[in-house]
Amino acid sequence: MRILAVIPARAGSKGIPNKNIRIIGGKPLVYYSINNALTSQNITDVIVTTDSEAVRIIAGEMGAGVHWRDERLCRDDVTLDSVIYDAASPVGKWDYIVTMQPTSPTLSVGTLDKAIEYAIENELDTVISAINAPHLSWGEKDGHKVPNYKERLNRQYLPPNYLETGAFVISKASVVTETSRIGEKVDVFEVPEDESVDVDTFADLYAVAAALNKKTVAIYVNGNNKRGMGHIYRALELADEFYSKPDIYYDLNQTDASVFGKTTHNLIPVNGIAELFECCKEKQYDIMINDILSTSIDYMIGLRSVLPNAKIVNFEDKGEGILKADLVFNALYNDANYPQVKSGEKYYIAGKLFLMYNPIVIKEKVERVFVAFGGADPSNYSDRILAMASKPEYDDIQFTVVLGRAKDNVEQLMEYNSRPNIEVLYDVSNMPELMRKCDMAITSRGRTGYELAILGIPSIAMSQNVREERHSFVSNENGFTYIGLHPTDEMIESNLKMYLSLSKESRQRFQDLMLSHDLRNGRRRVMGLIENL
C-alpha cells in the first residue's frame, strides 16, 4: 500500500511573518510535520509543496520530496484541495493521500499512525483530525442570538462537540480532486488536547513554544515524624510551579501517603531506591528533584546511571551527593562551598497563601500567641507550651496551637480546647490567616520560622534537633529570639513573659528586622534557576 503525505508550506504568511520557518523548540516550524511524515510507520512517500526557497532547503535536507508550487496556486483565494491535487498528481499512484499542515507541531507520530490505521481498517473515504470540546455555545437564527443547546449542563455532561484541528486530513486517493478531498464515508479522529494546537496567531505560537519546551519532571521526597514535614510541603509547592504534572515519588517504608494531605498530584509509592531507579529508567525525566534531607554519592551515581540526560536538583541537602547534582538549594543554611549550591533565605519557597497577606500591625500589647512546631514536632514542644498556657496567670492571653499532620498524641492534646484561652487545631489549611490574628509566636527553626518572618510576627524559636541548630535564618540578628536546642521550661516561660511585657516599640524593632529580608521572591529565583538548567 502506498500512502503519500503532502505538506503545504508556502511563503508569505501575513499574520505571522515567516511562520513556517520560525524556530520553535529549536527547529523550524515546518520541521515537525515533515519529521512526523518521514518517521511514520504507514506513510511511504512525502512531498512538501512550496514556493519558499527556505522550505525547499529544509525539506530537501530532511529527505522529503519537494514540489515547487506554481504562482497561481499561491494566492490567498486558492483552496487547499487544488494545492494537494497538484502536488499528488497523478493521484492514481497512491492508495491514500494525507494532508499534513505544518502548523501542528505538537502532533505525535503515534497519533498520526493510529489515525491512518483507523481510516484503513474502517474503509473510510476521509478522516479528519479533531478534538472533542463540548461547550455551551450560541448561534444565530432570524437575526437573533439563540443557544445551541436545550439544557444547560456542566461540560462533562454535554454531548460531544468535535472541532477540526487542521493537523491532518486522510483521504482515499480516489476521492481527491481539484475541488475536494472529502468522500462519502467520513469520520473524525480525536487527537489529545496537547497535540491539537494550530499555529494561526502569535498566542498560538507562544503556546506551541511552551508545549515543545515542556519538560518532564519527577520529585522524590520523604517526610515523617523524625525527618519533619517541610520536605513534603516544599515538594507540593514546587510541583505547582511546573507547566506539567510532575510524578511525586515517596518511599512507602519512610512516608505515609496521608502526610501529603488532599492533593491531586501524581503520588507514586516505591519500595526502596531500587524501585525508584526502575521507574526513572523507564520514564527518562528531564528534571529530577530530590528533597530527602541528604543524598549519598552512591545514590547520586545510581540516579545518574538511570537518568543520564536529566538535570538533577537537590533541596536542603547536606550530604556528599551535592557533588553530583546540577543544582542544590539550601535555604536553611548560609554556607555555599560549591558553585552549584545556592544557599540562604533568598531561595526560600514561600507558601502561595502567604504571598497574599501583608505583615501584621504591631499592637500596644500582646493579646494572642501563635504556637506551631512544624508537621511533626518530634521534641513535643507543643505539649510543653500547652501545659504552660493552662496556668491561671495566662488566662487573659489567647493561645492558638497548630498541630501538624505527623504529630503524635493529637487526640490527647485536643483536650486542651476545653480551656477558654486555648485553641488547638490540627492540620490546618489557613495557616497565614491564623498567624495574622496573633501578636507573637513560639516556633521551631524550620519552615514555620520563615512564614512568621514574612508576616512580621515577633517570635521565640528553639531547635528540634542538632540539624536544626545549623539553620541560620531563624536567629537573633534576623528578629527572632532564639533560645537553643531543647531549652528548659523555665527558659521558655521566662522568654514568653518577657515578650508579653515588651513595649510596642521593642516588638516593632523585631518586626523591622524580619521584614528587611526579601522572602517573597524566593520562589521566582528558584524556578528561574531550574528552568535555565
Side-chain angles (χ1 to χ4, degrees):
M1 182 174 289
R2 295 192 67 183
I3 299 177
L4 170 68
V6 180
I7 301 169
R10 67 168 180 159
S13 171
K14 294 182 176 62
I16 303 176
N18 300 312
K19 177 169 68 175
N20 289 329
I21 60 173
R22 286 203 176 217
I23 302 298
I24 309 293
K27 304 288 185 182
L29 183 62
V30 72
Y31 163 90
Y32 297 98
S33 55
I34 297 174
N35 186 62
N36 275 345
L38 291 172
T39 56
S40 165
Q41 298 295 310
N42 297 307
I43 293 171
T44 57
D45 301 273
V46 181
I47 291 176
V48 178
T49 171
T50 187
D51 64 336
S52 163
E53 186 66 18
V55 171
R56 181 191 68 79
I57 292 171
I58 293 167
E61 285 297 306
M62 292 182 68
V66 177
H67 177 80
W68 195 256
R69 197 187 307 183
D70 189 87
E71 186 177 345
R72 67 181 176 83
L73 293 174
C74 296
R75 300 194 311 266
D76 290 341
D77 61 346
V78 173
T79 66
L80 200 55
D81 298 316
S82 57
V83 171
I84 301 304
Y85 183 81
D86 172 67
S89 294
V91 294
K93 293 169 57 177
W94 322 104
D95 296 288
Y96 283 86
I97 296 172
V98 183
T99 305
M100 295 179 61
Q101 294 282 17
T103 53
S104 298
T106 59
L107 177 71
S108 72
V109 68
T111 299
L112 174 63
D113 275 338
K114 288 177 183 176
I116 294 171
E117 290 158 11
Y118 180 77
I120 295 170
E121 291 168 3
N122 292 279
E123 298 183 349
L124 296 166
D125 291 330
T126 308
V127 171
I128 302 171
S129 61
I131 57 168
N132 183 15
H135 283 284
L136 295 172
S137 63
W138 290 66
E140 190 168 322
K141 184 178 180 180
D142 300 328
H144 299 284
K145 303 295 190 302
V146 295
N148 293 327
Y149 54 85
K150 294 181 179 180
E151 183 181 1
R152 294 187 69 88
L153 300 171
N154 289 338
R155 186 173 183 268
Q156 62 268 35
Y157 299 116
L158 290 171
N161 180 42
Y162 293 102
L163 304 179
E164 294 186 24
T165 69
F168 55 77
V169 175
I170 302 165
S171 308
K172 277 186 178 178
S174 59
V175 305
V176 176
T177 69
E178 287 187 274
T179 58
S180 179
R181 290 162 290 149
I182 311 299
E184 293 183 2
K185 294 180 64 177
V186 182
D187 201 351
V188 297
F189 188 87
E190 188 174 345
V191 301
E193 188 171 353
D194 60 356
E195 297 184 26
S196 68
V197 182
D198 288 328
V199 180
D200 292 321
T201 66
F202 280 99
D204 297 332
L205 201 64
Y206 187 86
V208 162
L212 293 174
N213 291 319
K214 183 174 67 176
K215 294 179 172 64
T216 56
V217 182
I219 301 173
Y220 180 46
V221 61
N222 284 306
N224 51 45
N225 184 268
K226 292 183 179 180
R227 187 186 297 265
M229 292 292 295
H231 310 277
I232 301 293
Y233 299 135
R234 180 169 46 238
L236 293 174
E237 290 288 344
L238 276 170
D240 284 348
E241 287 298 307
F242 292 97
Y243 294 107
S244 61
K245 201 170 185 179
D247 288 336
I248 302 178
Y249 293 94
Y250 64 96
D251 189 333
L252 55 81
N253 301 299
Q254 303 181 51
T255 303
D256 190 279
S258 64
V259 301
F260 290 94
K262 294 178 180 179
T263 179
T264 56
H265 278 295
N266 296 328
L267 301 180
I268 306 173
V270 291
N271 188 11
I273 298 300
E275 187 173 344
L276 172 68
F277 285 177
E278 283 300 314
C279 294
C280 291
K281 185 176 182 180
E282 178 185 345
K283 296 201 175 182
Q284 288 302 304
Y285 298 101
D286 297 308
I287 297 175
M288 179 71 188
I289 296 174
N290 295 296
D291 201 339
I292 53 175
L293 191 59
S294 66
T295 60
S296 66
I297 288 287
D298 289 343
Y299 169 79
M300 293 295 288
I301 291 174
L303 194 57
R304 285 279 184 202
S305 69
V306 296
L307 291 174
N309 300 313
K311 298 297 184 181
I312 301 179
V313 182
N314 294 358
F315 278 83
E316 305 308 337
D317 189 355
K318 297 298 287 183
E320 294 179 344
I322 63 172
L323 299 173
K324 298 291 183 181
D326 294 295
L327 195 56
V328 179
F329 294 102
N330 282 339
L332 294 172
Y333 310 100
N334 269 328
D335 51 323
N337 300 321
Y338 304 98
Q340 75 275 24
V341 178
K342 309 299 178 184
S343 64
E345 70 267 12
K346 284 173 59 178
Y347 304 103
Y348 165 68
I349 298 175
K352 290 182 285 295
L353 292 181
F354 283 89
L355 302 179
M356 303 302 298
Y357 286 85
N358 293 322
I360 68 166
V361 175
I362 301 298
K363 298 176 184 175
E364 288 296 332
K365 57 181 290 188
V366 174
E367 298 173 357
R368 287 179 172 271
V369 179
F370 179 84
V371 180
F373 291 96
D377 187 16
S379 295
N380 292 322
Y381 286 136
S382 302
D383 309 48
R384 294 167 63 186
I385 302 299
L386 282 166
M388 292 177 197
S390 300
K391 295 179 180 180
E393 60 191 289
Y394 299 113
D395 284 350
D396 294 334
I397 304 297
Q398 294 295 314
F399 288 82
T400 297
V401 181
V402 176
L403 308 177
R405 293 175 196 157
K407 181 73 173 89
D408 293 330
N409 69 323
V410 171
E411 291 185 8
Q412 175 188 342
L413 297 182
M414 295 293 278
E415 294 177 5
Y416 280 98
N417 278 310
S418 61
R419 300 278 305 179
N421 68 319
I422 294 176
E423 179 183 36
V424 184
L425 304 169
Y426 171 69
D427 188 22
V428 301
S429 58
N430 60 333
M431 188 74 94
E433 188 176 26
L434 293 170
M435 288 180 174
R436 285 196 80 255
K437 293 177 181 178
C438 299
D439 306 302
M440 65 162 287
I442 307 175
T443 189
S444 53
R445 225 178 178 193
R447 175 175 173 265
T448 309
Y450 281 100
E451 295 170 347
L452 292 164
I454 285 176
L455 299 178
I457 301 174
S459 303
I460 300 167
M462 55 206 81
S463 293
Q464 293 271 11
N465 47 48
V466 174
R467 173 172 48 83
E468 270 198 9
E469 282 192 294
R470 301 201 303 270
H471 294 181
S472 56
F473 178 74
V474 178
S475 61
N476 295 343
E477 64 189 57
N478 292 329
F480 294 83
T481 298
Y482 176 57
I483 57 177
L485 172 65
H486 299 153
T488 63
D489 286 357
E490 183 183 12
M491 183 176 293
I492 295 173
E493 193 164 7
S494 64
N495 278 275
L496 171 61
K497 289 179 178 178
M498 181 268 291
Y499 261 76
L500 295 177
S501 63
L502 276 178
S503 67
K504 175 183 177 181
E505 291 72 26
S506 293
R507 284 181 282 113
Q508 184 66 60
R509 282 196 288 270
F510 285 140
Q511 186 186 72
D512 292 343
L513 283 171
M514 288 179 163
L515 298 181
S516 67
H517 299 272
D518 180 16
L519 298 176
R520 293 175 180 264
N521 289 308
R523 180 188 293 262
R524 176 179 54 80
R525 295 187 192 99
V526 168
M527 291 308 301
L529 289 168
I530 292 175
E531 288 165 1
N532 288 323
L533 279 174

